[in-house]
Amino acid sequence: MDILDTDAYDRRQRRNMSCALFLSLLPFFASTGLYFYLWTPESKPSIIFAAVKSAPILLLAAVVLSWNGCQSVLGVVGGLLFSAVGDWCLIWSEHFLHGMGAFAASHLLYSLAFLSSRYATYSSSSWTRILSLILLLIGGTFYFHLYPFLQKAPDSDIVTPAVGAYIFLIVFMGALAIRTRRFATLMGSLVFMVSDMSLAVQVFNAAKIAHGQYFVMGTYYLAQLLIAVGDIRASENKEDFGKWKRS
């Protein structure tokens, strides 16, 4: 098999894998559509609604697990499972701190995944350091803006430092996503930041966003989808690199 035949074969393989990945994601798209179809501003907290809300994330976890196996359990799969727990908790406002804790664990596991050998590592360049610094400034500025509203919360002595630690974790995850130089991974992390910040300003009455819940959940599901696809692609590229080395 010459170089041209090998290249054509690789293209067919990538195309077939992309089609297979899309088909495996159809349950996620269907469950996401079901959530937006059922949700209304008047929706009351319930176990059924919590299940509908967390179902897309659990389906994403199943997809990543089926493609990557157990190597992603202490990474993106674990992060998705903690995210599903967070989704469940946030249905009830009195469990907001529990939900934030679950999402904090999720960001830690995503960070571990981005540091793993499945993601190609690159030496820090000037632009990655600049982008990481920009993320840090955005996170710090956002916390400074949110701080007066956090102080008005009933349990401000707990919420104020907890939100600060959470912002640091998601900024740290975003900085590690930049380091991977993978488009889906990077965009997923950045969209996750946008979703969480949008949720925070609404929860603590720092700003009003038109159709805020739709925006928060739309960006949230998109972020999780991109992170999941990025993790699957990272494993595929790692295997391709290993085959290239052995050839």
Side-chain angles (χ1 to χ4, degrees):
M1 185 179 293
D2 59 27
I3 294 176
L4 291 178
D5 289 337
T6 302
D7 185 58
Y9 174 78
D10 288 342
R11 285 199 301 271
R12 285 196 301 271
Q13 285 292 94
R14 286 193 292 269
R15 187 163 56 248
N16 291 339
M17 293 183 76
S18 295
C19 290
L21 176 57
F22 175 76
L23 291 175
S24 67
L25 288 170
L26 287 179
F28 163 79
F29 294 127
S31 60
T32 301
L34 179 64
Y35 168 81
F36 285 111
Y37 176 76
L38 294 177
W39 183 85
T40 65
E42 295 77 28
S43 298
K44 301 297 183 183
S46 68
I47 292 176
I48 293 177
F49 191 64
V52 171
K53 183 183 180 184
S54 59
I57 304 305
L58 292 174
L59 289 169
L60 268 185
V63 170
V64 177
L65 188 63
S66 68
W67 280 78
N68 293 352
C70 294
Q71 63 180 337
S72 289
V73 171
L74 290 178
V76 169
V77 170
L80 288 167
L81 293 177
F82 271 107
S83 294
V85 173
D87 288 333
W88 190 281
C89 291
L90 292 182
I91 289 291
W92 293 273
S93 58
E94 61 269 26
H95 294 303
F96 177 78
L97 284 175
H98 300 93
M100 188 167 63
F103 278 109
S106 174
H107 296 321
L108 281 174
L109 287 171
Y110 288 158
S111 298
L112 285 176
F114 301 159
L115 287 170
S116 69
S117 60
R118 292 185 301 104
Y119 287 79
T121 55
Y122 300 91
S123 58
S124 296
S125 62
S126 58
W127 74 269
T128 57
R129 287 192 291 268
I130 290 172
L131 286 177
S132 298
L133 179 60
I134 290 173
L135 283 187
L136 182 62
L137 291 173
I138 291 173
T141 302
F142 179 74
Y143 184 67
F144 179 79
H145 168 72
L146 202 61
Y147 185 83
F149 301 94
L150 296 174
Q151 291 293 292
K152 298 175 184 178
D155 47 357
S156 61
D157 55 333
I158 299 175
V159 169
T160 302
V163 170
Y166 183 87
I167 291 173
F168 172 80
L169 285 175
I170 197 168
V171 168
F172 180 67
M173 181 195 70
L176 291 178
I178 293 172
R179 181 174 172 269
T180 68
R181 301 188 189 180
R182 296 184 180 279
F183 179 78
T185 300
L186 173 56
M187 291 305 299
S189 299
L190 295 180
V191 174
F192 213 140
M193 289 183 65
V194 171
S195 178
D196 276 356
M197 289 178 176
S198 301
L199 175 63
V201 296
Q202 293 179 79
V203 168
F204 298 106
N205 299 311
K208 296 292 184 182
I209 300 176
H211 308 293
Q213 181 70 8
Y214 289 107
F215 180 81
V216 169
M217 294 306 299
T219 51
Y220 168 69
Y221 286 134
L222 175 60
Q224 296 282 32
L225 172 64
L226 290 170
I227 290 173
V229 170
D231 195 61
I232 293 170
R233 293 300 189 190
S235 295
E236 289 177 5
N237 293 340
K238 193 72 177 177
E239 292 173 3
D240 291 342
F241 181 69
K243 293 175 183 177
W244 176 81
K245 286 181 67 179
R246 292 192 294 270
S247 63

